[in-house]
């Protein structure tokens, strides 16, 4: 009889472990919720401004920790050059992406620059794109992101 009770307890304990593991994973995901949200605008062609926006993103990560902050850099107009595939900052962009920074390329600007240059603009593979950079900024601001234009 004691063996039967022990088997029931063992089965219950096993079931508890199976249920608790996903709950623990969910709790860890919730801990990673970003308390601070920033959208950084880059719309200038100046290489110094491009470096500055990347520095600001890096400084935000250092100040709050990658697990407590969301940062998205939105590039449009002449600032799209930051996200050109061959941009000198591609390595820094890779490093920021590894720490959770997102990049957004204005599709309107990509199309216009492609027409002006006479060849399709190749954008960094980490960058997502959408209709308009300013539209993306408004979406993020509406979601509680703070806009900064370094």
């Amino acid at each position: 009889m004691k063996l039967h009770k022990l088997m029931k307890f063992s089965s219950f304990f096993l079931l508890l472990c199976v249920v608790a593991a996903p709950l623990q994973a969910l709790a860890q995901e919730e801990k990673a919720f970003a308390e601070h949200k920033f959208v950084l605008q880059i719309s200038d062609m100046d290489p110094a401004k491009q470096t500055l926006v990347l520095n600001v993103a890096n400084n935000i990560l250092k100040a709050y920790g990658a697990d407590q902050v969301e940062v998205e850099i939105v590039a449009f107009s002449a600032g799209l050059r930051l996200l050109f595939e061959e941009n000198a900052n591609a390595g820094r962009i890779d490093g920021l992406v590894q720490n959770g920074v997102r990049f957004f390329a204005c599709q309107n600007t990509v199309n216009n620059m492609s027409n002006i240059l006479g060849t399709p603009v190749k954008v960094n593979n980490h960058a997502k794109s959408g209709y308009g950079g300013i539209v993306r900024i408004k979406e993020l601001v509406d979601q509680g992101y703070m806009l900064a234009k370094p």
Side-chain angles (χ1 to χ4, degrees), residues 73-147:
I73 296 175
V74 176
F76 64 95
S77 187
L80 181 70
R81 291 181 182 275
L82 171 66
L83 297 180
F84 277 14
E85 194 174 62
E86 73 277 357
N87 187 285
N89 290 301
R92 289 196 65 201
I93 290 171
D94 290 344
L96 288 168
V97 167
Q98 289 176 5
N99 284 298
V101 175
R102 298 184 315 266
F103 290 84
F104 183 90
C106 173
Q107 191 61 50
N108 289 333
T109 304
V110 170
N111 296 342
N112 289 336
M113 282 190 172
S114 295
N115 288 337
I116 291 168
L117 297 173
T119 181
V121 169
K122 293 183 181 175
V123 179
N124 186 299
N125 65 347
H126 294 299
K128 294 193 178 352
S129 65
Y131 183 70
I134 200 71
V135 172
R136 179 64 180 157
I137 289 172
K138 180 172 181 342
E139 289 171 354
L140 292 172
V141 167
D142 288 349
Q143 294 173 29
Y145 284 68
M146 186 191 98
L147 171 61

Side-chain angles (χ1 to χ4, degrees), residues 29-40:
E29 286 177 25
E30 288 175 7
K31 233 190 328 188
F33 177 78
E35 294 179 26
H36 311 282
K37 299 176 181 182
F38 297 88
V39 55
L40 305 178

Side-chain angles (χ1 to χ4, degrees), residues 53-87:
V53 77
L54 298 175
N55 290 346
V56 169
N58 193 52
N59 291 340
I60 290 169
L61 292 173
K62 284 180 184 176
Y64 294 107
D67 60 335
Q68 295 298 313
V69 68
E70 287 186 28
V71 178
E72 184 165 324
I73 296 175
V74 176
F76 64 95
S77 187
L80 181 70
R81 291 181 182 275
L82 171 66
L83 297 180
F84 277 14
E85 194 174 62
E86 73 277 357
N87 187 285

